[in-house]
Amino acid sequence: MRSRINAKGQEELFDIVRKKFVIATPEEKVRQTYICFLHERLQIPLLNIIVEKAIVYNRMHKRFDIMVYKHGVCKIVVECKAETIPLTENTFFQVAMYNKLLQAEYIVLFNGKEERVFKKINEKYQVCASLPMFSNL
């Protein structure tokens, strides 16, 4: 992961999806780590990853962290939290709410230390050991 110090003395990380440097907040570090995992380990092309996009759900403006799509269909939505933030039931409900609109097959919670993967089957979520490779989505 490329990083630099900006003119204000802040650390920045290069976001390979958005193709720009972003401030290295604790949550951003986790997000960039997971983007690299998706791209390098699961072989997800960068063109199939969307980062921090605004959505409107029940008139509320929200922003998801990461979405992966294939053939125009949302396959994975990821909610990232800083390492110091535990993954709770509220975190799950947050991303499940986004997914009512996005309709992803998988939702992921990740805080840099812990990853939880769920697969949506018949409108219910089941715990999965891991995400499949992009070719198997």
Side-chain angles (χ1 to χ4, degrees):
M1 207 176 328
R2 276 178 40 204
S3 67
R4 71 178 185 191
I5 303 299
N6 68 18
K8 295 179 181 178
Q10 300 167 307
E11 182 185 12
E12 295 180 328
L13 302 173
F14 188 75
D15 183 318
I16 59 175
V17 174
R18 294 179 278 185
K19 299 189 180 352
K20 67 178 186 175
F21 280 93
V22 294
I23 301 295
T25 64
E27 184 175 319
E28 191 63 50
K29 290 177 181 180
V30 170
R31 185 171 21 257
Q32 293 306 315
T33 298
Y34 208 76
I35 290 169
C36 289
F37 167 77
L38 292 170
H39 180 61
E40 295 168 9
R41 298 285 298 277
L42 300 184
Q43 301 176 346
I44 297 174
L46 295 177
L47 292 173
N48 293 83
I49 301 172
I50 297 173
V51 179
E52 283 200 306
K53 183 158 172 64
I55 57 173
V56 178
Y57 179 75
N58 284 344
R59 298 185 199 166
M60 296 182 295
H61 293 268
K62 300 292 181 180
R63 183 180 302 269
F64 62 78
D65 285 312
I66 303 169
M67 185 184 85
V68 173
Y69 67 95
K70 188 174 186 177
H71 305 301
V73 176
C74 180
K75 294 292 186 174
I76 304 166
V77 63
V78 182
E79 179 62 27
C80 297
K81 297 293 183 190
E83 284 190 3
T84 57
I85 307 294
L87 301 179
T88 65
E89 196 172 87
N90 285 341
T91 311
F92 174 82
F93 289 136
Q94 177 183 358
V95 72
M97 179 184 66
Y98 300 161
N99 203 38
K100 288 181 180 183
L101 181 65
L102 300 171
Q103 293 297 305
E105 185 177 356
Y106 293 91
I107 62 173
V108 178
L109 312 177
F110 183 65
N111 68 0
K113 295 187 275 189
E114 185 180 2
E115 176 192 46
R116 294 188 188 165
V117 179
F118 303 87
K119 183 173 183 175
K120 189 175 182 183
I121 301 172
N122 298 326
E123 300 303 313
K124 294 187 179 183
Y125 292 98
Q126 295 182 353
V127 176
C128 294
S130 62
L131 288 170
M133 298 291 289
F134 185 71
S135 59
N136 295 325
L137 281 174

